[in-house]
Amino acid sequence: MTWWRKGVAASTVVLPSQPGPWASVADHLIDRFRHVSAQEWRARIERGDVLQADGQPLSLRDACTPGARVHYFRDVPNEEPIPFQETVLYQDEHL
């Protein structure tokens, strides 16, 4: 199942099949995705933007279960409005 929020599909990650040094899913995500700060991962989890396989929100203390699927939502910044009025170049009954 794909989870959606604000028109954006959740990303899915499968936790490693072997136990690792991570006490929690949060620890694993922080370690695996180092380009996202630990503070940001914790904020996502606290907002309910990181889900278990069944769609239930994850908590900061949920254990890192080998092979489990985790869904998470990325932050998508608001786009700047285009600075002009768009023009429709082509339109028919199919488009």
Side-chain angles (χ1 to χ4, degrees):
M1 168 167 259
T2 302
W3 305 99
W4 293 84
R5 198 170 282 165
K6 297 180 185 174
V8 177
S11 297
T12 300
V13 64
V14 177
L15 302 179
S17 59
Q18 299 296 316
W22 316 283
S24 67
V25 175
D27 292 338
H28 173 73
L29 294 172
I30 290 165
D31 185 50
R32 183 169 179 172
F33 299 105
R34 295 178 184 194
H35 61 281
V36 178
S37 72
Q39 179 181 351
E40 175 60 25
W41 276 116
R42 290 184 189 103
R44 287 182 189 182
I45 291 169
E46 289 173 349
R47 283 194 309 262
D49 288 343
V50 182
L51 310 174
Q52 300 173 30
D54 64 0
Q56 294 299 310
L58 211 67
S59 80
L60 288 170
R61 291 180 290 286
D62 282 339
C64 190
T65 305
R69 287 184 183 273
V70 175
H71 310 287
Y72 64 92
F73 293 95
R74 295 167 281 120
D75 287 330
V76 179
N78 290 330
E79 294 181 343
E80 294 289 324
I82 57 173
F84 55 86
Q85 180 64 40
E86 73 281 355
T87 302
V88 177
L89 299 176
Y90 178 80
Q91 184 175 358
D92 65 16
E93 67 274 6
H94 302 291
L95 179 63

